[in-house]
Amino acid sequence: QVQLVESGGGLVQIGDSLRLSCLASGRTISNYPMGWFRQTPGKEREFVAGISWNGGSTGYAESVKGRFTISRDNAANTVYLQMNSLKPEDTALYYCAAVHRWTRGIFTSGASYDSWGQGTLVTVSS
């Protein structure tokens, strides 16, 4: 069983940066595609960014492309989301998720993911 714990959220101003971390425990995630999603009250959880098992492929939602960067350190069993030029519309609860099998590519659908963290809150103040 994989446990995922996100950290790094907080209250920031427009244009600021944050780096979210997702630390996995229970088993290695080095063979697993990983992703970040976000959700605001009353809305569906949405894909933000995904990364392949070895970091060779990444993908982003159009709304964050060019501002957010997903990366991973398999030795540290950790995935990151660097968020720059933050906007009020980036305010959300951010979740880390793992696909529990070795497979190529990245996944944009939440249904593809097998485990989720509890989320970390990002608030961008205007």
Side-chain angles (χ1 to χ4, degrees), residues 1-118:
Q1 192 75 318
V2 175
Q3 290 81 42
L4 302 173
V5 178
E6 303 92 338
S7 62
L11 173 64
V12 296
Q13 302 292 317
I14 293 174
D16 283 351
S17 298
L18 276 177
R19 188 176 82 155
L20 306 184
S21 298
C22 172
L23 175 63
S25 61
R27 70 171 68 168
T28 179
I29 59 168
S30 61
N31 291 331
Y32 295 166
M34 300 290 293
W36 285 96
F37 290 74
R38 66 187 182 187
Q39 189 170 24
T40 54
K43 292 190 175 182
E44 296 279 326
R45 187 156 47 188
E46 65 172 353
F47 170 78
V48 175
I51 189 166
S52 61
W53 69 276
N54 63 352
S57 297
T58 58
Y60 300 91
E62 282 299 320
S63 59
V64 307
K65 202 172 288 186
R67 299 189 297 123
F68 290 11
T69 302
I70 188 171
S71 61
R72 65 190 301 158
D73 181 346
N74 284 343
N77 231 26
T78 301
V79 177
Y80 303 98
L81 184 68
Q82 177 67 43
M83 305 187 297
N84 297 330
S85 303
L86 283 161
K87 304 175 181 180
E89 51 264 43
D90 295 319
T91 295
L93 191 60
Y94 283 73
Y95 297 91
C96 172
V99 176
H100 288 192
R101 60 193 180 278
W102 181 86
T103 182
R104 300 183 189 278
I106 60 171
F107 297 85
T108 61
S109 169
S112 300
Y113 291 82
D114 301 293
S115 60
W116 297 80
Q118 294 300 304

